[in-house]
Amino acid sequence: MPLTRSVSVTSLSGLDEWDEEFDLEDAVLFEIAWEVANKVGGIYTVIQTKARLTSEEWGENYFLVGPYTESNVRTQVELIEPTNGVLRRTIDKMNASGCKVYFGRWLIEGSPYVVLIDVGFTAWSLDRWKSELWESCAIGVPWFDREANDAVLFGFLTAWLLGEVSGTCDEPPCILAHFHEWLAGLGLVLCRNRRLPVATIFTTHATLLGRYLCAGNVDFYNNLSQFNVDKEAGDRQIYHRYCIERAAAHCTHVFTTVSQITAIEAEHLLKRKPDLVTPNGLNVKKFSAMHEFQNLHAQSKARIQEFVRGHFYGHLDFNLDKCLFFFIAGRYEFCNKGADIFLEALARLNYLLRVNHSEVTVVAFFIMPARTNNFNVETLKGQAVRKQLWDTAHAVKEKFGKKLYESLLVGQLPDVSKMLDKEDFTMMKRAIFSTQRHSQPPVCTHNMLEDSSDPILTCIRRIGLFNGSADRVKVIFHPEFLSSTSPLLPMDYEEFVRGCHLGVFPSYYEPWGYTPAECTVMGIPSVSTNLSGFGCFMEEHIADPSAYGIYILDRRFRSIDESCHQLTSFLFQFCQQSRRQRIIQRNRTERLSDLLDWRYLGRYYISARHMALAKAFPDTYCYEPQEPPSTQGFRYPRPASVPPSPALSRHSSPHHSEAEDEDDERYDEDLEAEKDRQNIRQPFSLPLRNKVVTLPACTPTRDNLNTPHARAHTHSMHTHAERQCSTVLTVRYS
C-alpha cells in the first residue's frame, strides 16, 4: 500500500490560526500517562518537553496524572497541598477510601501540577476490578502479566479520580482527559463506559502489535492490510493488551498518532483512522551567536577524542584530526532500530575506505543498553594508561618550563640538550613501555552476560570488524546509557551527541524518532528512514533533506541489500566531505530546529483538544465541518547556495585559488540563514478567550464498534459525540 496522502496534515502551515478563540477558564485538562515523572521511554520526553507550552495555555487548570514511584518522587517532584478546592476534596475522599494519592509540582520547565497514584497500595482491589472489566468490556487480563495488572489498577484509579472530580462540583467544569498509550487507555474506556461528562483524547505513540510484528522479522508495511490482528495478538500472548488499546482507540472522542506512518499502521491494526497527527517536538534553545553551537561541538568532540585515545592505546595508528564519530542510540532492538543494517553498511564502508586509500578513520559507537555485569577491565585499563601518560607529560612540561624560565631570567638562551635530564627520559620511556599492547582494542566496553548470543557481537564476529590496525572503521559497543558520572566515558547524552559528526538511525520500526530529532536540534546531521515518523516528516517539509544534513534511507520500497547499499553510499559520501563542508552542513542542520520546536508543533495538540471539547460539549464549544481544499503541504526549499559536495567545495588548505574564491561567493551563511528563517512562520499566540470557535475541516463518520474489544463505547455520553472525524486540515501560504 503506497504511503501517500492527498493533503498535508502535518504541514507547518497546515493549521489555520483561529480568529475566534476558546475560553478555557471553565475547562480543566488532565493529561494521563504511565510516564509522568516516571522515565521508561520516549513518552516521558514528549510529556516533559511539552509541559511548559501546555502550562502556558491552561495555567492552573492543567494537571498531569501518573503512577507514584518513591525513587522518582524524591528527585523529581515537590509534594504540596492541592491548590484546587475540588481536587483537594477528591484526593481526601480517595485517600479515606483506601487509596494513596499524592499531589505536587513536577520539577521541570513549566512546573506543572502532578497527581500521583500509588497503584500498589490498592492491589487488594485487582481481582474485583478485573471481574468488572470482564463483565463490562469482555476483556480478560491473565494473572501473570504484571504490566497489564498495573494498567488495570491505574485505569480504574484514574477513572475513579475523574469521576470524583466531575461529581464533586455543583456545576462541574468541562473536563478534558488526554490519555497516552495503552497503559493509560483503560481509564478512558471506563470513563466512557460510566458515561462520565469528560471529553477524551487517546494518543498512541506506537501500536503494541506493530512493535511485536516488526520484531518478528515480517514484511510488516507491505502486509498491513492482510494481518489477522486477533490471531497475531493471540499468538504473541498480548491479546488482552491489544483489546485495551483497541477499545481506547474506538471509545475516545479524538484519536491521534505521532506520525503519518503510524496513522496508517493504526488504521489497519486498531481499525480506526486517526483524527489528527500530532508530531512530537522539543524545547529548542537558540544561541545568540551562530558559532556557539559549533564551539560546543568542538569541546565535546575533544572529550570523545580523549576517550578514544585511551580505548585504542597501543594501536593509535590513525590521525584523530581525520577521525569521524558516528553513533546509533536507543532501545536495544537489533532489527527494529536498524543496528543490523548499520553494521553491514560499516563493513562495506570499511572496504571502500581501504581500497580508496582514504586517510579518514570512522569510529562507530553503539549506545544500546544490554545486560552486563561490569566494565571491561581492558577498557578501564586503557583510560588509566591515558591518564598516566597525561600526568607524565605534565610533570616533564613543568620541569622543562622551570628550567627555561630560569635560563631566560639570567639573560641566556637555553641549551636544549640540558633541558631534559636522564630522569626525565627514564620517566618517558616507562610511560611509552606502559602503552605496549599485544591484544586488539576491545569492541565492547563491558562484560556481557550473554556474550555468545548477543546480536551485535555476533554480527561483528561475522563481518570481522575487530578494530584491527588495517581497519578504517572501528566499532565501540557501549551497552548502557551514558552518564556524566561514568568512570569510562564521563559525558551525558547531549554532550556526546554534540561531539559526534553523524547520527545513524536506519530504523525499520520507529513511530516518531526522538534521536534524529535531538541531533537536528543540536546541529548534528543524521540518517533516518522513510519508515520513521521523523523521516516522513522531514521528507514532507524539506525539498532536499540531504542538503540540510538529513539523509533519508529508503527501507519501504527497497530490499535489505539495496537499503544497505544506499546507507553505505550515504556514509562514504559523508566521509569524503572536507571539514569546511561539514561545518556548512551543521549550520544548515541547526537551522531546521525551528521545524521541531513545540512552539510550532504544539498547535496540533491544541487542535486535538479543541476538537475533543467541541465533540463532548457541543452546547459550549462547536466546530463547523468544511470541505478541505486540494492543496499541497509546505515544503522547506533547497539551500540558496550549492549543497556541500566533494566536487564543488574548496580544499581545507588556507591557500585558495581564484576559482575557489568564486565558489566561496556562492555560499553566504548570513544570507542563506535569513532566507531559511523567512520560510518559517513566527510562533503562534495561545488562544484563550471566546466561547465558540470554528475548528478546521472535519468530516463526520459513524463509529463501528461491533467488536468485543469496545463494548464500553455503547454507552456514549452524547449522540453528537458518537460522530468521529477524519480530519484533513487546510494549508495556508504566507
Side-chain angles (χ1 to χ4, degrees), residues 34 64 94 119 124 181-182 227 324 349 413 468 475 485 527 581 671:
W34 187 258
L64 287 159
M94 291 182 67
V119 296
W124 51 272
E181 281 296 303
W182 74 274
F227 288 118
L324 301 179
L349 176 65
L413 288 175
V475 176
T485 59
V527 177
Q581 290 170 335
L671 178 62

Coordinates of all heavy atoms in Angstrom, one line a residue, residues 34 64 94 119 124 181-182 227 324 349 413 468 475 485 527 581 671:
W34 N 1.5 6.7 31.9 CA 2.3 5.9 32.9 C 3.7 6.6 33.1 O 4.4 6.3 34.0 CB 2.5 4.5 32.3 CG 3.1 3.6 33.3 CD1 4.4 3.1 33.3 CD2 2.5 3.0 34.5 NE1 4.7 2.3 34.3 CE2 3.5 2.2 35.1 CE3 1.3 3.1 35.0 CZ2 3.3 1.5 36.2 CZ3 1.0 2.3 36.2 CH2 2.0 1.6 36.8
L64 N -1.2 16.8 35.5 CA -0.7 15.6 34.9 C -1.0 14.5 35.9 O -0.9 14.7 37.1 CB 0.8 15.7 34.7 CG 1.3 16.5 33.5 CD1 2.7 17.0 33.7 CD2 1.1 15.8 32.2
M94 N -10.6 10.0 48.2 CA -10.0 8.7 47.7 C -9.1 8.2 48.8 O -9.0 6.9 49.0 CB -9.3 9.0 46.4 CG -10.2 9.3 45.2 SD -9.3 9.6 43.7 CE -8.6 7.9 43.4
V119 N -0.4 2.7 42.7 CA -1.2 1.6 42.3 C -1.0 0.3 43.1 O -1.9 -0.5 43.3 CB -0.9 1.3 40.8 CG1 -1.3 2.4 39.9 CG2 0.6 0.9 40.6
W124 N -5.2 -4.8 46.4 CA -6.2 -5.7 47.0 C -7.5 -5.6 46.2 O -8.4 -6.5 46.3 CB -6.5 -5.3 48.5 CG -6.8 -3.8 48.6 CD1 -5.9 -2.8 48.9 CD2 -8.1 -3.2 48.6 NE1 -6.5 -1.6 49.0 CE2 -7.8 -1.8 48.8 CE3 -9.4 -3.6 48.4 CZ2 -8.9 -0.9 48.8 CZ3 -10.4 -2.7 48.4 CH2 -10.2 -1.3 48.6
E181 N -1.1 6.2 25.3 CA -0.7 4.7 25.2 C -1.7 3.8 26.0 O -2.5 4.3 26.8 CB 0.7 4.5 25.7 CG 1.8 4.9 24.7 CD 1.7 4.0 23.4 OE1 1.8 2.8 23.5 OE2 1.6 4.6 22.3
W182 N -1.5 2.5 25.7 CA -2.5 1.5 26.2 C -2.4 1.4 27.7 O -3.4 1.1 28.4 CB -2.2 0.2 25.6 CG -1.0 -0.5 26.1 CD1 0.3 -0.4 25.6 CD2 -0.9 -1.5 27.1 NE1 1.2 -1.2 26.3 CE2 0.5 -1.9 27.3 CE3 -1.8 -2.1 28.0 CZ2 0.9 -2.8 28.2 CZ3 -1.4 -3.0 28.9 CH2 0.0 -3.4 29.0
F227 N -3.0 -8.8 7.7 CA -2.8 -9.4 9.0 C -4.1 -9.7 9.7 O -5.1 -8.9 9.7 CB -2.0 -8.5 10.0 CG -0.5 -8.4 9.6 CD1 0.0 -7.2 9.3 CD2 0.3 -9.5 9.7 CE1 1.3 -7.0 9.0 CE2 1.6 -9.4 9.3 CZ 2.2 -8.1 9.0
L324 N 36.2 10.5 12.2 CA 34.8 10.9 12.3 C 34.1 10.0 13.2 O 34.4 8.8 13.3 CB 34.2 10.8 10.9 CG 34.7 11.6 9.8 CD1 34.0 11.4 8.5 CD2 34.7 13.1 10.1
L349 N 31.6 0.0 4.2 CA 32.3 1.3 4.2 C 33.8 1.0 4.5 O 34.7 1.7 3.9 CB 31.7 2.2 5.3 CG 32.4 3.5 5.6 CD1 32.3 4.4 4.4 CD2 31.8 4.2 6.8
L413 N 70.3 32.2 26.3 CA 69.5 31.2 25.6 C 69.6 29.8 26.1 O 70.8 29.4 26.5 CB 69.8 31.3 24.1 CG 69.5 32.5 23.3 CD1 70.0 32.4 21.9 CD2 67.9 32.7 23.3
G468 N 41.1 -3.9 14.0 CA 42.4 -4.1 13.6 C 43.1 -2.9 13.1 O 42.5 -1.9 12.7
V475 N 34.8 0.0 15.8 CA 33.5 -0.2 16.5 C 33.6 -0.2 18.0 O 34.5 -0.9 18.5 CB 32.8 -1.5 16.0 CG1 31.5 -1.7 16.7 CG2 32.5 -1.5 14.5
T485 N 28.7 10.8 35.3 CA 29.4 10.3 36.4 C 30.2 8.9 36.1 O 30.7 8.3 37.0 CB 28.5 10.0 37.6 OG1 27.4 9.1 37.2 CG2 27.8 11.3 38.0
V527 N 21.1 10.2 9.8 CA 20.4 9.3 8.8 C 19.2 8.8 9.5 O 19.2 8.2 10.6 CB 21.4 8.2 8.4 CG1 20.7 7.2 7.5 CG2 22.7 8.7 7.8
Q581 N 33.1 21.7 4.6 CA 31.8 21.2 4.2 C 30.9 20.7 5.3 O 29.7 21.0 5.4 CB 32.0 20.1 3.1 CG 32.5 20.6 1.8 CD 32.9 19.4 0.9 OE1 33.2 18.3 1.4 NE2 32.9 19.7 -0.4
L671 N 23.2 35.3 4.5 CA 22.1 35.5 3.6 C 21.3 34.2 3.5 O 20.0 34.3 3.5 CB 22.7 35.8 2.2 CG 21.6 35.9 1.1 CD1 20.7 37.1 1.3 CD2 22.4 36.2 -0.3

